[in-house]
Amino acid sequence: MTAATVPPRTQDLSEGALGIALLHIERGDLTAARRELVRAVAGGVSAGANASLFHGAPALEFVLGRAGRAGGDVRDAVDRVVDARLAAARRRQESGALPPFAEFDLIRGLAGLGALLLVRGSAPSRLRDVLAYLVSLSRPAHADGRELPGWWSAEGPDGKEMDGGHGNNGVAHGIAGPLAVLSLAHRADVHVPGQLDAIRVLARWLDSYGGSYWITRAQMDAGELPAPELARPSWCYGPPGIARAQQLAALALDDPVRRQAAEDTVVRTLSSPAHLARITDATLCHGWAGLVTLARAVAADSPTPDRFTPLITDLNTRLTDDLPRLSKPGLMEGRSGAQLALGGTDSTGWTGALLIT
């Protein structure tokens, strides 16, 4: 493993060769997958500060793990990445600073690393360490003389300095990601102190503020709940992704009222022409592929799965129609992800990378 400063894009799960290999593994074509894996690691594999579930050694372990081929050298490198990220988070906490959302999110942060450790199929101590960190986000932070959510970031959604910062709600970059990890871990019988209380705190925040992609300091200071936005309803941001996290929370909490509300949100959103009109492509990240994959998972955990059947059929049709227009080959914004969704299978557990399952 190398800690390259500017690693090759091929080792990127989102748009590189690793994402293409994932499609071949799900289809059972290990020869084609091996070809993509060779291309992915040709320039080295990052185990440095930029390594995450979607890049470098952790991404490589996730893909190899779907074929049952993740070796000890890869896992050892990932363990070092996890240890370094946890140590950095502890130093930040001790300093009293607010977290950058890349510290905890799914794509770059500890939620993503927690998702990876969760699908290893065992409960290593590092997974519990990550869960304990995610629980700590549910405790209030303090900045400029006022109390803020523990995941409040001083930077804006674009990663640049923002007056007052923001609280991100999405699955990919916000607090819905940690909520899903904590809930999925509980479902897998992996527990740490305070886990259920943290799930309640994060779920209640999303009850109030989850209708927006993110919340600004000005909105918090106004003391009024913002009206839900008519925004693109994708997996990464928006009501469907947050609703799946809420459904997972409800299953962890044994809360049928919350589960029903989450499922109703998915049905209502995916039945709304105004919402669907904002979807413009077939991608997994923010298009039809992500929505149909999410809808299948929600239906599978619902006591009334048949109510989702017409929605899934419609989304499959839209995905089929729009897939040929995708120009990129990769997972999150390209053909590989759309084809995975269209295939409708999850025999390898590839949807774990999205915290859908």
Side-chain angles (χ1 to χ4, degrees), residues 167-178 206 212-214 235-238 242:
N168 202 295
N169 294 328
V171 174
H173 295 296
I175 200 57
L206 291 173
S212 302
Y213 282 3
W214 53 75
W235 158 79
C236 56
Y237 277 112
I242 289 174

Side-chain angles (χ1 to χ4, degrees), residues 9-40 54 59-60 62-64 66 284 327-340 348 350:
R9 288 284 293 175
T10 52
Q11 62 177 284
D12 182 67
L13 179 59
S14 177
E15 295 306 320
L18 283 178
I20 301 171
L22 193 61
L23 171 65
H24 293 310
I25 292 170
E26 179 66 22
R27 289 176 167 177
D29 189 348
L30 297 187
T31 299
R34 188 176 297 110
R35 184 168 57 247
E36 295 299 332
L37 286 164
V38 168
R39 188 161 68 92
F54 279 78
L60 178 62
F62 182 83
V63 174
L64 290 173
R66 299 320 91 217
L284 197 58
S327 59
K328 296 180 180 180
L331 179 68
M332 297 305 289
E333 295 186 1
R335 295 185 298 276
S336 294
Q339 288 165 342
L340 274 167
T348 64
W350 69 267

Side-chain angles (χ1 to χ4, degrees), residues 77-97:
V78 170
D79 288 346
R80 291 193 295 272
V81 170
V82 174
D83 290 346
R85 298 296 287 276
L86 284 170
R90 292 185 188 109
R91 290 193 296 271
R92 190 273 306 165
Q93 289 173 324
E94 289 168 0
S95 75

Side-chain angles (χ1 to χ4, degrees), residues 12 33 45 60 153 217 241 250 345 355 357:
D12 182 67
V45 180
L60 178 62
S153 179
R217 180 70 171 271
T345 63
L355 292 178
T357 59

Side-chain angles (χ1 to χ4, degrees), residues 104-353:
F104 62 80
D105 75 3
L106 170 64
I107 302 300
R108 294 172 293 173
L110 281 158
L113 294 174
L116 172 58
L117 295 175
L118 195 55
V119 299
R120 277 187 177 178
S122 60
S125 60
R126 283 182 181 84
L127 173 56
R128 291 190 171 89
D129 290 342
V130 171
L131 295 177
Y133 160 78
L134 296 177
V135 166
S136 76
L137 295 175
S138 69
R139 296 191 282 270
H142 295 85
D144 301 327
R146 70 159 296 171
E147 185 174 281
L148 294 167
W151 62 91
W152 196 268
S153 179
E155 62 194 14
D158 59 0
K160 298 178 181 178
E161 183 178 352
M162 178 180 183
D163 185 26
H166 85 298
N168 202 295
N169 294 328
V171 174
H173 295 296
I175 200 57
L179 175 60
V181 175
L182 291 168
S183 301
L184 287 165
H186 185 275
R187 203 173 188 187
D189 202 26
V190 185
H191 311 289
V192 296
Q195 187 169 340
L196 286 178
D197 286 340
I199 290 171
R200 291 186 185 94
V201 168
L202 304 187
R204 287 168 182 163
W205 167 271
L206 291 173
D207 289 343
S208 298
Y209 295 104
S212 302
Y213 282 3
W214 53 75
I215 298 299
T216 66
R217 180 70 171 271
Q219 289 171 315
M220 284 279 288
D221 290 342
E224 296 181 3
L225 297 181
E229 300 171 357
L230 181 59
R232 183 179 63 201
S234 57
W235 158 79
C236 56
Y237 277 112
I242 289 174
R244 174 55 175 168
Q246 288 275 38
Q247 185 193 36
L248 291 170
L251 293 171
L253 299 171
D254 191 21
D255 184 343
V257 174
R258 180 175 298 282
R259 179 194 51 73
Q260 185 68 52
E263 294 171 14
D264 288 348
T265 294
V266 173
V267 170
R268 185 169 57 252
T269 303
L270 298 185
S271 303
S272 165
H275 278 100
L276 295 182
R278 294 179 176 265
I279 301 294
T280 59
D281 61 46
T283 63
L284 197 58
C285 186
H286 43 251
W288 304 120
L291 290 179
V292 74
T293 303
L294 186 148
R296 288 192 195 105
V298 172
D301 284 328
S302 172
T304 55
D306 290 348
R307 68 193 296 228
F308 297 92
T309 301
L311 301 175
I312 292 169
T313 299
D314 177 61
L315 292 171
N316 262 325
T317 300
R318 294 171 186 267
L319 172 57
T320 301
D321 290 345
D322 279 0
L323 194 156
R325 289 191 278 275
L326 292 180
S327 59
K328 296 180 180 180
L331 179 68
M332 297 305 289
E333 295 186 1
R335 295 185 298 276
S336 294
Q339 288 165 342
L340 274 167
L342 191 60
T345 63
D346 190 22
S347 60
T348 64
W350 69 267
T351 59

